[in-house]
Every structure is written in C-alpha cells, then in structure tokens.
Amino acid sequence: VAAARSLDPAQPRLDPYLARQFERDLRALPLLYCAAGDLVLLEDAPTAAFLRRLGSLGFPPAEIVRPLRGRVIRNLRPWGWSAEGAAFLRAQGPGATWHPAWAELYSKAWSAARLGDFLGSRGDEDREWLCTTKVVGRACRTVEAVERTAAECAEHGHEGRVVIKAAVASSGRGQIHCGRAPLREAQLGWLRKTLAAQGEVVVEPWLDKVADLSLHFDVGVHGEVQVHGWSRFFTGPHGQYRGALVGGRLDSGLEASAKAFLEGNGDDSGINSAGVELATFLGQALHTAGYVGPVGVDTLVYYDVSATRQLQFKPIVEINPRNTMGRVALRLQSHLRVAAAVWLIVSRREAELAGYDSIAEWAEHIEHKWPPVMTPDGKSLSAGAVFTNDPLIAKEFSTVLVAGETLDECLLWGQTLGLDVGV
C-alpha cells in the first residue's frame, strides 16, 4: 500500500491554504511508482480518463482504495512517517509504525549536525573537493544568537548573503534571506514566530550554486543501505523546489569544469563513489535512531568565496527520511527512452499568467501542442509533454513531464508552452 494521505511532518507551513492544497493536488503521485497489484490509499481518486491515460503511457495499473479493512496488506509505504500518519494507518490495518525518536530526523538542525560529523570523518585527501565546516549550518534558539551567527556566516556567504531556515519545513519553504544589514522588522517577526513554534532555526551561509543534486537510498532493518542513485533538481531564486531533470546525464547543461568535478579523476572518485560513502555513513546514523525506509539527501555543488572561485561539494544540505520529489523523478526514468526530460511543478498562477483560466485548460493546450509520443513497443515515452497528476481535479498545483532529444529542446519547448523551467 502506498498511502498518499499527507503523512509528512515537514509539510510547508508558510501559507496554510497553499500548503494544504499542495498536498491535496499532488497526493496521487504514488501512482507514478507503484507496481502492478499495489493498492494506493487516496481520499479523492483521479478521474477515470486520467488513469486510462497513465496506463497508455506505460504506468502499471494500481487499485485505488479508501478504507483498507478486509484487505490483506503485505507492506505499508506512506510518503513519510509521522505520529499522526501512523495513527491514521493503524485504524486501517496492521503494520503502521512510529517512533518518537524519528521526529528529530526531520529537523534541519539534525541534518547540519550530521554534516559536521561527516566532514570530521574524512581524511586530508577529501579536503580539496569537500566543503569546509565554515558552511555548516548552526542551530540557534534566540534572536540574539541568530543575529550573531548571521554576522559570522555572512563572511562565508556568496555576496555576503545568509539563509535562516525553520528547523522543520520542506521544499525550500520556511526560510528568510539576509546579509550583513540588520534583520528587517518583518523578518524579525517571522523569526520570533518560528522560534516560538519550533524552538530553533538553522543559520548558514548562502552559497553560489552550480547544481542541486539529491542522493536516494533505503535503510534496512539492520542498517544496511541500498543506493538507488542520484537525481538533479532545480529551485527558484529563494531555494523553493521547482522540478528535476529526468533521464539523460546528471551533468547535462553544466560547464565543462563542473562536469569534470562530478566525474572525479577517473579512479572511482566521482559522485557515484561519494554517494555510496555518504549513504553508508548516514545509514548508520539513521539506523541508530531506529529508522527503516526511504531517504533522500539534498546536496550542493557550488563555488567558494575565494578569489579563485573553487568548486566544492556540500554533501548534506538536508536529510529527508521519507519519499521525496527527487525519488519520484528517479523512478520516472524507467518510463522514458529519451536523451533528456524535465519534470516540473506548475501552479494555477502560472496558468493564468500564460492566459488560461485553469490548470486543466492549460494542460489541454500543452498536451495538444506537444503530444506524448511512445516508443514502437508502446512501453516508454520518447517525446512530448504529459501531466503526471490529474489536471482536471488540480486546483492550485500540478506536475508535468517534458521530454525531448536534448535538454535545450526541452527548455525551448517549455518556454514556448509558457512553462518557466528555470534551469
């Protein structure tokens, strides 16, 4: 069972209505990675036309259910565990688990501490390409501590910039940006409110980003890890999650220096090797907390603030002990036979700016202008645009997959269709 009800304690909290609608509009995403015979627990099912469309694109059929009673369930796999979610699933049947110690794993303060631990465990041979402890986030519990730490972090931030993050938030939400100047009154208001609600925030330098990458793995019952791979995602100007590259090379569109940096020196020292080491390290920390399940780790390639602007790698920006949009993007690759594709979150506001009254009207236009094309065997998408959650019932948000021969082609088609890809 893939339970698509909101079970993620890190749900965005900035705008209560949009946060709720984000969850409601995208709750059917488990349909994109289920296997034949799976049950998907949904409160509101997509339309029959949308389900037929998914089937025609090669996605295996899954049965949508509401109550689970009377069904034989082998395994429960929610988007992410929480106390509320476990209680909800226990009412549906056996197998739901929640340990109070897991709550700490969702905090950005816990992620920052694990980054410090990981850097401390590395040898001198890693110093040239790994970030330094100067860019590790620091947890602060008072306004005074935040102001003092922000002033210190500004010395290591790109153009003196600093980001202050709520300890618990997701998809790049729940943060403010500042520099060397004092916090504005509106920022102080957000900070006081966040400290009162969560007890702490994390302060760190804002870095000169080259590429956002995420590592995906599972932690087993004995702490063993299974690495599924990397995905590359992109964000808005303030770090909010926008979408991901799907298929093709991880370094598509990057400068030659960044490509060489990711590849390493040819002796298994590149990003794949780093992923195995990072997953093994974090797997033990998560196992110690009793966690079992999927993990996504956001990482960053960036230029440092030195005069020579050296490329460096921040191996832990945030640890997500749950399914993530990056994990879905990684799984989408099995349905593609293309050189490049982008998977985007789009909004009703963007549809209106493009001249349409609703997401559904915009989606009809997009899929008509660039219809999906399947491979000769009918099993994989080879080109075109397809919405990956039902635009007919989406009120504020949807997702769309744009596939082509090259990344540039995808970007060009996206712009033509009114999609701000943002890569």
Side-chain angles (χ1 to χ4, degrees):
V1 172
R5 189 174 184 268
S6 177
L7 306 182
D8 179 7
Q11 193 67 29
R13 289 175 167 80
L14 281 185
D15 184 314
Y17 166 72
L18 289 179
R20 289 193 301 270
Q21 204 57 49
F22 184 86
E23 178 265 318
R24 291 185 67 88
D25 286 344
L26 272 60
R27 63 177 46 171
L29 287 179
L31 290 170
L32 302 179
Y33 57 80
C34 283
D38 283 351
L39 308 176
V40 180
L41 177 61
L42 285 172
E43 292 176 344
D44 301 306
T47 62
F50 176 77
L51 294 175
R52 286 195 298 270
R53 183 63 175 275
L54 279 186
S56 71
L57 294 171
F59 291 91
E63 183 180 354
I64 297 174
V65 297
R66 291 177 177 83
L68 293 176
R69 293 190 181 281
R71 310 300 293 263
V72 178
I73 305 301
R74 182 167 58 90
N75 196 2
L76 289 169
R77 295 185 180 179
W79 184 265
W81 288 109
S82 69
E84 178 192 11
F88 171 81
L89 287 176
R90 285 192 199 102
Q92 308 294 316
T97 303
W98 172 253
H99 299 291
W102 290 0
E104 183 185 16
L105 307 182
Y106 289 91
S107 170
K108 290 178 176 57
W110 193 85
S111 295
R114 300 295 74 74
L115 173 58
D117 293 344
F118 183 74
L119 294 176
S121 71
R122 312 308 295 170
D124 292 338
E125 68 276 8
D126 295 326
R127 301 301 181 195
E128 290 186 2
W129 65 280
L130 277 179
C131 68
T132 71
T133 56
K134 294 177 181 178
V135 302
V136 176
R138 287 181 266 174
C140 299
R141 295 180 174 273
T142 66
V143 171
E144 294 74 22
V146 169
E147 292 175 327
R148 182 172 60 253
T149 303
E152 296 170 359
C153 287
E155 299 303 314
H156 309 289
H158 175 55
E159 298 178 342
R161 295 173 62 190
V162 175
V163 58
I164 303 171
K165 302 177 179 180
V168 180
S170 68
S171 300
R173 296 169 173 85
Q175 58 180 240
I176 58 174
H177 296 246
C178 62
R180 294 184 174 89
L183 293 176
R184 300 188 303 272
E185 192 57 41
Q187 293 176 317
L188 286 170
W190 175 89
L191 178 57
R192 294 187 184 103
K193 183 177 180 180
T194 303
L195 288 172
Q198 300 190 12
E200 62 183 358
V201 296
V202 173
V203 183
E204 59 191 52
W206 181 259
L207 303 176
D208 188 6
K209 177 178 68 176
V210 173
D212 288 301
L213 307 174
S214 56
L215 172 68
H216 304 280
F217 61 94
D218 292 331
V219 179
V221 293
H222 302 297
E224 70 279 11
V225 297
Q226 180 182 5
V227 178
H228 296 286
W230 291 88
S231 64
R232 180 169 151 216
F233 64 99
F234 33 90
T235 62
H238 298 293
Q240 293 87 352
Y241 186 91
R242 176 63 175 156
L245 296 181
V246 182
R249 290 179 58 90
L250 199 66
D251 58 9
S252 295
L254 296 181
E255 294 181 357
S257 59
K259 291 182 177 182
F261 182 83
L262 292 175
E263 291 173 359
N265 58 20
D267 60 356
D268 200 29
S269 61
I271 195 69
N272 290 325
S273 175
V276 173
E277 295 175 7
L278 182 60
T280 301
F281 179 89
L282 291 177
Q284 288 303 309
L286 290 160
H287 174 65
T288 299
Y291 180 76
V292 177
V295 182
V297 183
D298 294 344
T299 73
L300 183 71
V301 178
Y302 69 99
Y303 290 114
D304 68 15
V305 296
S306 68
T308 55
R309 298 183 76 236
Q310 295 296 309
L311 284 168
Q312 291 194 312
F313 180 58
K314 188 174 183 179
I316 301 171
V317 175
E318 182 175 326
I319 302 166
N320 299 295
R322 54 179 171 85
N323 279 298
T324 64
M325 298 296 283
R327 175 72 68 109
V328 179
L330 196 65
R331 287 167 168 166
L332 282 173
Q333 293 182 13
S334 63
H335 295 279
L336 296 174
R337 291 295 181 271
V338 295
V342 292
W343 186 52
L344 300 170
I345 297 174
V346 295
S347 68
R348 178 180 59 82
R349 181 174 179 273
E350 288 176 297
E352 292 174 347
L353 289 173
Y356 299 91
D357 293 332
S358 65
I359 291 176
E361 185 180 329
W362 193 29
E364 183 178 8
H365 165 75
I366 289 174
E367 293 189 351
H368 175 74
K369 291 287 288 185
W370 202 13
V373 178
M374 302 299 292
T375 53
D377 62 7
K379 295 181 179 180
S380 303
L381 182 70
S382 63
V386 58
F387 275 71
T388 48
N389 61 291
D390 195 345
L392 290 177
I393 62 175
K395 293 182 178 180
E396 295 290 343
F397 299 97
S398 190
T399 56
V400 60
L401 182 64
V402 181
E405 290 297 322
T406 65
L407 177 58
D408 286 342
E409 181 185 8
C410 294
L411 299 181
L412 179 60
W413 266 106
Q415 292 171 1
T416 303
L417 298 171
L419 297 169
D420 180 14
V421 178
V423 176

